Amino acid sequence: MTKDIYILGIETSCDETAASIVKNGTEIISNVVASQITSQKRFGGVVPEIASRHHVEQITLVIEEALAIAELEPADLDAVAVTEGPGLVGALLIGVNAAKAFAFANGLPIIGVHHIAGHIYANQLMQPMEFPLLALIVSGGHTELVIMEGHGSFKLVGETRDDAAGEAYDKVARVLGLPYPGGPQIDKLAAESDGQVEFPRAWLEPGSYDFSFSGLKSSVINYKHNLAQRGEAVNPSHVAAGFQASVVEVLTTKALRAAKEFGVKQVIAAGGVAANKGLRSSLEETFKKEEIPFHVPPIILCTDNAAMIAAAGSAMFIDGIRGNLAMNGKPGMSLVSWKQ
């Protein structure tokens, strides 16, 4: 009988301190997340030094809680997987060093996981990944289209040239005076709106799978300034609806075109912005109409969590990938294939 594999995942790339235990790369046994939204909200965004201090306070507690909920001891684990990068360097260092200390103390191997690989593998916690597949990654710092021919194989076919979708959401939210985090606020306003402002779509060169949202952000700012000069009030819900319509149309259209060109068996969405209800609805309706299987994790697995890190770490563990105690945080870490 094949032994079950238990991986402890640790995630501290930004402002969530998280630990999780995943069985065989597909089953969540425990998933603990200590959010910093309440603390960071007063600053209108994440302050790296404050994020790091919160990680120091919470990291041991979330690991202990993850083990307690799973009713497992360190001796029951097979490895520790931790977000190695990208992310805030101070935040990454806390997670990496906690993982190294835990692994060393308990004689366990350690595996460094790319944060975006984790977001992709969050889908494996819900259903099997079928290759080749297309992953649409939309998060605070990333907007990318990735083709996977198999586990650990990542081929980048499109990426953002400036602001990622999540960054654009946050900046537009600040322009509209919405509280942090701004993305969910814009999504909510857009859903409730009875009209929308028409904003441009940045398609770039014919056939390009790259993205650009900086111009859209500037269009929103200019629209507000023009109204102010005329002494007219801004309707936040109309602006939110128009902004979101532009983002969603570009993301959906390019994902569909890539799915058809590369002949994938499955399309998945990943990342914090994949929690956006407007985007989820557009992708689901579009790919259902085209009869292309589409999956997106539940919202709790779209935002940063450690279960996704453990899931990716499980695939790496099975493929024989191991790190070492010289591991360090890599804030600019690139998504590269671990298996050719």
Side-chain angles (χ1 to χ4, degrees), residues 7-337:
I7 303 293
L8 168 65
I10 297 173
E11 154 64 24
T12 63
S13 66
C14 190
D15 61 339
E16 273 88 21
T17 314
S20 173
I21 295 175
V22 168
K23 176 181 175 181
N24 297 328
T26 60
E27 182 182 346
I28 299 174
I29 306 301
S30 64
N31 193 26
V32 181
V33 180
S35 176
Q36 299 178 18
I37 287 180
T38 302
S39 295
Q40 304 286 1
K41 192 173 185 177
R42 55 184 165 156
F43 303 107
V46 179
V47 179
E49 177 61 25
I50 293 175
S52 297
R53 291 182 182 183
H54 278 295
H55 288 313
V56 170
E57 294 170 355
Q58 298 294 327
I59 188 65
T60 302
L61 298 176
V62 297
I63 292 173
E64 290 176 348
E65 187 174 350
L67 284 166
I69 292 172
E71 298 182 344
L72 295 174
E73 298 295 331
D76 299 317
L77 302 175
D78 292 277
V80 181
V82 62
T83 302
E84 188 175 6
L88 302 175
V89 63
L92 290 169
L93 285 171
I94 293 159
V96 166
N97 281 292
K100 290 196 294 186
F102 186 93
F104 178 77
N106 295 287
L108 296 169
I110 187 169
I111 301 168
V113 177
H114 192 283
H115 184 72
I116 297 303
H119 275 302
I120 291 172
Y121 272 85
N123 284 273
Q124 185 172 268
L125 296 168
M126 304 310 300
Q127 68 281 312
M129 298 167 72
E130 298 182 21
F131 305 105
L133 66 76
L134 171 71
L136 170 63
I137 300 146
V138 274
S139 69
H142 299 265
T143 305
E144 298 162 346
L145 286 169
V146 173
I147 297 293
M148 293 182 66
E149 297 288 346
H151 286 293
S153 171
F154 307 105
K155 178 184 177 183
L156 185 67
V157 296
E159 61 185 332
T160 185
R161 297 183 182 179
D162 40 60
D163 287 344
E167 290 174 312
Y169 267 93
D170 288 339
K171 291 175 181 177
V172 168
R174 283 197 290 271
V175 169
L176 295 177
L178 301 175
Y180 173 84
Q185 300 293 332
I186 290 180
D187 191 22
K188 183 174 183 292
L189 280 179
E192 297 171 350
S193 181
D194 59 359
Q196 67 179 45
V197 180
E198 288 299 319
F199 290 115
R201 275 69 166 153
W203 299 110
L204 303 176
E205 307 84 10
S208 174
Y209 288 119
D210 284 349
F211 302 95
S212 172
F213 297 109
S214 180
L216 173 59
K217 170 202 66 184
S218 297
S219 293
V220 174
I221 294 172
N222 291 336
Y223 173 79
K224 183 181 178 183
H225 286 171
N226 289 337
L227 286 186
Q229 289 171 355
R230 298 198 299 267
E232 300 176 16
V234 172
N235 185 320
S237 65
H238 288 183
V239 173
F243 166 78
Q244 178 150 299
S246 177
V247 173
V248 168
E249 182 179 346
V250 170
L251 291 173
T252 302
T253 301
K254 293 204 173 192
L256 175 60
R257 182 157 52 84
K260 288 182 174 180
E261 178 177 335
F262 292 98
V264 299
K265 294 181 179 178
Q266 185 184 69
V267 176
I268 61 176
V273 183
N276 181 284
K277 294 179 181 177
L279 177 59
R280 293 166 77 95
S281 176
S282 175
L283 291 169
E284 288 168 355
E285 291 175 7
T286 297
F287 286 106
K288 181 178 181 180
K289 182 179 178 181
E290 297 292 333
E291 298 183 341
I292 299 174
F294 170 76
H295 301 287
V296 59
I299 291 173
I300 195 172
L301 293 179
C302 288
T303 53
D304 289 352
N305 64 89
M308 68 184 197
I309 302 302
S314 297
M316 297 173 75
F317 179 82
I318 291 170
D319 282 344
I321 307 299
R322 303 289 186 274
N324 56 58
L325 296 181
M327 183 188 299
N328 207 346
K330 298 179 180 178
M333 187 177 181
S334 297
L335 179 65
V336 296
S337 300

